[in-house]
């Protein structure tokens, strides 16, 4: 989550380069899109290129996010996985939760998960997956 001073609203950004399938396909962003519509959270799904042109590479999500962010006008931006996320909060609830976490002193809140992908990803030579540190 990132907050832009002086701007209002909320936008959810998600990276997904796979074609959207049916609502039964849990590997596409269908659940995220459906829950976004039900909760009223504006959603933008995009990619650098469709999977038919180029397979997902490490850093694609971040590169896409950096290209999209300058054009986002909402004050609060949430970047999420596309395939395994379902929204349960309204925009007002997400904004209040961000304010409770960030207060006045933070502009970015970062979350992560233990099951990082790709599994061989490393930062400064330290493997992130199954790293006890």
């Amino acid at each position: 989550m990132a907050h832009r001073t002086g701007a209002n609203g909320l936008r959810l950004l998600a990276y997904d380069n796979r074609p959207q399938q049916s609502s039964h396909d849990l590997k596409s962003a269908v659940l995220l899109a459906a829950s976004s519509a039900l909760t009223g959270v504006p959603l933008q799904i995009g990619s650098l290129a469709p999977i038919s042109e180029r397979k997902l590479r490490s850093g694609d999500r971040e590169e896409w996010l950096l290209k999209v962010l300058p054009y986002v006008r909402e004050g609060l931006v949430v970047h999420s996985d596309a395939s395994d996320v379902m929204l349960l909060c309204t925009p007002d609830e997400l904004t209040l939760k961000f304010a409770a976490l960030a207060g006045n002193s933070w502009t970015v809140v970062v979350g992560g998960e233990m099951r990082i992908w790709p599994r061989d990803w490393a930062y400064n030579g330290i493997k992130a997956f199954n790293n006890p540190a």
Side-chain angles (χ1 to χ4, degrees):
M1 291 186 180
H3 185 264
R4 294 170 186 248
T5 306
N8 293 318
L10 175 129
R11 175 157 305 268
L12 175 62
L13 300 174
Y15 187 93
D16 193 356
N17 65 343
R18 298 163 297 183
Q20 297 305 301
Q21 306 296 325
S22 73
S23 60
H24 302 290
D25 180 13
L26 300 182
K27 294 186 178 184
S28 69
V30 171
L31 280 178
L32 181 60
S35 62
S36 169
L38 287 172
T39 57
V41 176
L43 171 64
Q44 179 177 345
I45 299 173
S47 66
L48 295 176
I51 198 165
S52 60
E53 294 176 19
R54 187 178 115 173
K55 292 192 185 285
L56 180 67
R57 298 179 194 158
S58 181
D60 279 358
R61 288 179 179 95
E62 295 78 10
E63 183 179 343
W64 174 78
L65 182 62
L66 290 173
K67 287 182 177 186
V68 169
L69 277 176
Y71 302 100
V72 174
R73 297 294 168 237
E74 288 79 5
L76 183 59
V77 177
V78 177
H79 182 237
S80 170
D81 284 349
S83 60
D84 62 354
V85 173
M86 188 166 143
L87 295 174
L88 301 175
C89 295
T90 66
D92 289 341
E93 289 174 299
L94 281 170
T95 301
L96 288 172
K97 289 174 191 258
F98 175 79
L101 281 170
N104 293 327
S105 61
W106 295 91
T107 56
V108 176
V109 175
V110 177
E113 57 188 59
M114 293 294 293
R115 297 181 60 206
I116 195 162
W117 186 88
R119 302 234 187 273
D120 60 347
W121 186 80
Y123 178 74
N124 286 339
I126 299 171
K127 280 186 75 172
F129 183 71
N130 285 339
N131 182 19

